[in-house]
Amino acid sequence: MVFFQYKKSQKLELCEALILSGNWKLSTRILERMPVHWAAGFKPVGDAICQFLHYLMEPLYESTLELPACMMSTRKPMRNLEYASTWQLENYVNVPTRAFEFAQRLVPVASFLGCYGARDTKLLSKLCRLCAHYLKSRVDKNSVDYVYQAIFNLADEVILPSMSLVDANSVLPEDIWSFLQFMPYFHRYRLYSQWKHTHCRVEPILAKCRAEVVAISRALMKRLSKDNVKPMGRQLGKLSHSNPCIMFDCLLSTMQKYTNLIGPVVDALKFCGNLSYDVLVFSIIEALADEKTSLDEAQIGQQLLALSSFTGLICKKYQFDIAGLLQYVLSQLKAGSSYDLAMLREVVHKMTGIDTSEDLTDDQLDASSGGELLLQEGGYYSQIRNTRRTASRLTSVLIEHKVIMPFIFLMANIRDHMTFVRNPEQHVKIAGRLLDDCQGTLVQFITFLSVQLTREEMLAQFIPVDRMMKEYLVPADTAFCLFRNVFEPQVYQVWKHRMQEKVSEMDAFNWACDQVVQEVANPIKALMPEPIWHELNPHFYVSFWCLSAGDLQVPEASYLRQQLLLRTQISDIAKNSDLVSLYQHVRLFIGCLSSFPLAREQYP
């Protein structure tokens, strides 16, 4: 990267000499009279600041980061400043030895570098490692103290802008991510926003770099196809190591116009690093927000579907933090917009294999009332395969950030209010489509929870039905649909305790059902007007909503149909000697599916 050069200036040369002599106080008085980061663009001054920073951080770096013995034996000792004597170093230079002194003395010096810290990548790596050590060792991860604020400013003013001027260094982004990963996602996204919209437009050298990256990115996207994913992916990966914000901005805008590039782009992103994936999520959120300000509803639908499909595929294939994306969708629901539910629907579908219940055939409708195995085999168009890891990752994010219940409550409320509260001038077809999408996503999300969460996790997340209906205004169908996942385990626990009294299984089961239903019916009775209960029994009301189609009739025909299909596959596999292991696996699965009467009643 070519830096701007300045003619000889006595002020800059004096500043360089003062820095190298260790007199930072007088140097600061000169630097503060110049434009921000202007003096660091003069190579001798920038190099002098870097050398001064190396000298300041060396004792703290050695004492904090314990390097292996093999590295310590070959590591060269840090030399003193060029023009500084021992007396000057003792009287002018205060070397930091603690984290607070690092933030108080070293970070202000580094702030004068700005984006010109790219001249010394070793210095940037040292700063990143010191920041990572402090953030990792913090006791209170949610507090924002003086040192944390200094590290945030250091990343904002020096580290990230300098990264834009470093050519294809794959190690530096990983060092930066080593401390950024300990920051909450909203702090990281603020850094990315400042980097993209402020520094890359204010600094002339970064503006020039931005224009070059845009031109290269557009040229690569024109050449990208499914036949040259690997070489083009490497070129995109090199760009993402230095300018991920700009590169992903061009990539997303091109991909939304040409949806046939979604597959090649997803495959090409395998050469990106952890920091690039995090910036990609930020870029997706920005793309979602920017679309709605300049497009009509028809265009929003087309580009949103393309962006949602792309997001679902990358969430399935690569591992990164999607908490910010989920929080954005949740915030849009809170604001009354359901357009972005397409994003949640695609993420859940791609990461778990559970699709929305839309345009089901009669066979799939019958299979949906069976057990979990029958639902997976015959209830979806695409069978669920190899989604355990991605589904577990999605579940952990939802539980960690406590967004499971807010998603359900907001989807249920916006579904019921969509027809009346939303824009009355909206076309009826668009309103109906949004209503169907909201209902399908809600059912898909609850189905995912029932399949993925264990009984203990579901009980930990569950809120009593009366609280859901009274405090959060959740409709009865949604509240009891969620309650069904804990109703059967509760009945089983009460039945198990009742069986210790040596009564018949049927009597114990009826007694357990009555007890659980009565516990729910008592608080529900107070939520409705009294005249309603003159003709409707609360016990019957709760029993009606607690039952599902599989509780009324076991879909024996669907089980037999799937068994016949699997036996046909067994006979075909048995004829091929190369598929003996698969033959044994299918036989084992047939044995599990054969016990269909107990598929919904057995619990661990």
Side-chain angles (χ1 to χ4, degrees):
M1 179 63 65
V2 179
F3 295 88
F4 288 109
Q5 300 293 329
Y6 301 98
K7 295 181 180 180
K8 289 186 177 181
S9 171
Q10 291 183 350
K11 296 179 182 179
L12 293 175
E13 292 177 351
L14 175 61
C15 184
E16 175 197 0
L18 289 173
I19 295 173
L20 293 178
S21 64
N23 197 336
W24 178 251
K25 186 175 181 180
L26 290 179
S27 303
T28 306
R29 296 178 63 179
I30 299 177
L31 292 173
E32 288 177 348
R33 293 175 177 269
M34 300 177 181
V36 180
H37 306 151
W38 182 83
F42 183 59
K43 190 175 185 304
V45 175
D47 293 342
I49 296 176
C50 292
Q51 185 179 348
F52 186 66
L53 287 171
H54 276 294
Y55 179 79
L56 287 179
M57 74 169 63
E58 187 64 20
L60 182 62
Y61 185 78
E62 286 189 353
S63 61
T64 302
L65 302 176
E66 297 180 358
L67 299 177
C70 58
M71 295 183 63
M72 291 298 297
S73 59
T74 58
R75 191 165 183 265
K76 296 181 180 180
M78 185 64 195
R79 60 188 179 90
N80 291 335
L81 298 178
E82 187 173 350
Y83 302 145
S85 62
T86 305
W87 181 86
Q88 289 174 321
L89 293 177
E90 293 177 354
N91 290 273
Y92 290 153
V93 181
N94 295 323
V95 178
T97 57
R98 297 179 301 169
F100 182 80
E101 296 176 353
F102 166 80
Q104 189 179 33
R105 300 174 187 173
L106 195 143
V107 174
V109 177
S111 63
F112 284 95
L113 272 179
C115 62
Y116 297 101
R119 287 197 179 97
D120 195 341
T121 55
K122 291 183 179 180
L123 175 65
L124 295 178
S125 295
K126 285 184 177 181
L127 290 173
C128 293
R129 291 168 186 173
L130 287 174
C131 295
H133 176 79
Y134 169 74
L135 295 179
K136 186 178 180 180
S137 60
R138 283 199 310 163
V139 178
D140 187 3
K141 303 295 182 181
N142 298 322
S143 64
V144 180
D145 53 11
Y146 180 78
V147 181
Y148 181 90
Q149 185 63 47
I151 293 175
F152 183 89
N153 294 336
L154 180 66
D156 181 25
E157 299 176 7
V158 181
I159 296 178
L160 290 179
S162 298
M163 178 181 163
S164 298
L165 301 179
V166 178
D167 291 331
N169 189 330
S170 60
V171 178
L172 181 60
E174 295 302 318
D175 285 338
I176 296 175
W177 178 248
S178 66
F179 76 90
L180 285 183
Q181 64 179 333
F182 297 108
M183 293 184 177
Y185 67 87
F186 43 87
H187 286 174
R188 299 199 306 266
Y189 292 171
R190 182 181 175 184
L191 288 174
Y192 302 152
S193 179
Q194 288 284 104
W195 182 19
K196 178 181 178 181
H197 299 292
T198 302
H199 298 295
C200 288
R201 299 180 186 275
V202 174
E203 294 288 345
I205 190 171
L206 292 182
K208 177 185 176 183
C209 179
R210 177 190 179 94
E212 293 175 353
V213 173
V214 168
I216 297 174
S217 300
R218 289 176 178 174
L220 291 176
M221 291 302 295
K222 289 180 181 179
R223 298 171 57 191
L224 180 64
S225 66
K226 62 180 181 181
D227 299 327
N228 59 359
V229 169
K230 198 168 185 179
M232 292 298 102
R234 286 173 176 164
Q235 297 298 323
L236 291 174
K238 289 182 179 179
L239 286 180
S240 69
H241 293 330
S242 57
N243 291 275
C245 292
I246 304 169
M247 191 272 288
F248 286 132
D249 197 14
C250 297
L251 184 144
L252 292 176
S253 62
T254 305
M255 186 198 58
Q256 291 178 75
K257 298 176 183 177
Y258 307 99
T259 55
N260 59 321
L261 290 177
I262 292 178
V265 167
V266 171
D267 295 335
L269 292 180
K270 64 182 178 181
F271 297 99
C272 297
N274 293 321
L275 179 62
S276 300
Y277 289 136
D278 197 54
V279 175
L280 175 59
V281 178
F282 165 75
S283 301
I284 291 173
I285 295 174
E286 273 202 334
L288 286 172
D290 292 342
E291 283 178 3
K292 302 178 181 59
T293 59
S294 58
L295 301 177
D296 56 16
E297 290 182 342
Q299 292 174 323
I300 288 176
Q302 296 173 1
Q303 299 199 8
L304 182 61
L305 289 177
L307 193 60
S308 302
S309 178
F310 168 75
T311 306
L313 289 173
I314 62 171
C315 289
K316 178 183 179 181
K317 190 167 185 178
Y318 307 110
Q319 186 172 354
F320 49 85
D321 186 12
I322 60 173
L325 183 63
L326 296 176
Q327 186 62 48
Y328 173 79
V329 177
L330 189 66
S331 300
Q332 290 298 307
L333 287 175
K334 188 176 181 180
S337 175
S338 62
Y339 288 109
D340 297 293
L341 277 179
M343 183 67 67
L344 177 65
R345 182 169 60 251
E346 285 296 325
V347 169
V348 174
H349 172 49
K350 294 297 191 301
M351 296 186 71
T352 65
I354 299 175
D355 201 356
T356 54
S357 302
E358 186 175 338
D359 298 331
L360 293 179
T361 63
D362 293 338
D363 294 342
Q364 289 176 329
L365 191 60
D366 293 338
S368 62
S369 61
E372 180 181 338
L373 288 176
L374 182 62
L375 182 63
Q376 294 179 4
E377 291 298 318
Y380 303 117
Y381 287 106
S382 58
Q383 295 181 349
I384 300 176
R385 292 289 186 271
N386 302 325
T387 58
R388 180 176 300 177
R389 290 185 179 180
T390 54
S392 300
R393 183 155 50 89
L394 178 60
T395 305
S396 62
V397 172
L398 292 171
I399 293 176
E400 180 183 357
H401 294 273
K402 301 178 181 179
V403 294
I404 292 179
M405 288 302 170
F407 264 124
I408 296 175
F409 295 164
L410 289 174
M411 280 191 284
N413 287 327
I414 201 172
R415 178 200 60 185
D416 293 345
H417 298 166
M418 187 176 298
T419 310
F420 308 100
V421 180
R422 291 293 301 273
N423 184 11
E425 299 179 358
Q426 190 178 43
H427 196 280
V428 64
K429 289 186 177 180
I430 296 178
R433 183 62 183 175
L434 291 175
L435 180 63
D436 293 340
D437 291 343
C438 187
Q439 172 66 16
T441 308
L442 177 61
V443 174
Q444 177 199 29
F445 192 74
I446 295 178
T447 304
F448 154 67
L449 296 178
S450 63
V451 172
Q452 190 64 28
L453 294 184
T454 62
R455 183 176 61 190
E456 291 76 12
E457 291 174 341
M458 182 62 74
L459 290 174
Q461 297 292 326
F462 181 72
I463 297 177
V465 178
D466 56 313
R467 283 191 58 197
M468 284 193 284
M469 298 177 64
K470 182 179 180 180
E471 297 181 15
Y472 301 99
L473 305 179
V474 179
D477 59 339
T478 304
F480 280 96
C481 181
L482 191 61
F483 176 68
R484 290 189 201 110
N485 298 315
V486 297
F487 172 71
E488 294 176 352
Q490 288 180 359
V491 171
Y492 175 74
Q493 292 295 331
V494 177
W495 172 84
K496 187 177 180 180
H497 184 268
R498 182 68 172 175
M499 285 297 296
Q500 297 177 358
E501 300 179 4
K502 297 182 180 180
V503 296
S504 63
E505 293 185 358
M506 184 59 66
D507 293 339
F509 178 75
N510 292 334
W511 185 85
C513 289
D514 290 337
Q515 291 295 320
V516 176
V517 169
Q518 193 63 37
E519 291 178 1
V520 180
N522 290 333
I524 290 293
K525 187 176 181 180
L527 300 179
M528 303 290 182
E530 187 64 28
I532 293 180
W533 305 119
H534 293 166
E535 299 180 0
L536 181 64
N537 190 347
H539 195 281
F540 174 77
Y541 177 83
V542 175
S543 300
F544 172 80
W545 283 114
C546 288
L547 297 177
S548 61
D551 296 320
L552 303 178
Q553 182 181 4
V554 177
E556 299 183 14
S558 296
Y559 280 102
L560 295 176
R561 189 184 306 111
Q562 289 299 319
Q563 291 177 21
L564 179 61
L565 178 62
L566 291 174
R567 288 194 178 95
T568 304
Q569 294 177 0
I570 286 178
S571 61
D572 296 338
I573 294 172
K575 297 176 183 178
N576 191 344
S577 59
D578 297 334
L579 301 177
V580 177
S581 60
L582 181 60
Y583 169 77
Q584 296 175 352
H585 174 74
V586 175
R587 286 297 300 268
L588 179 62
F589 186 80
I590 281 285
C592 297
L593 196 62
S594 299
S595 58
F596 63 85
L598 301 179
R600 297 180 59 86
E601 287 78 8
Q602 289 183 346
Y603 300 96

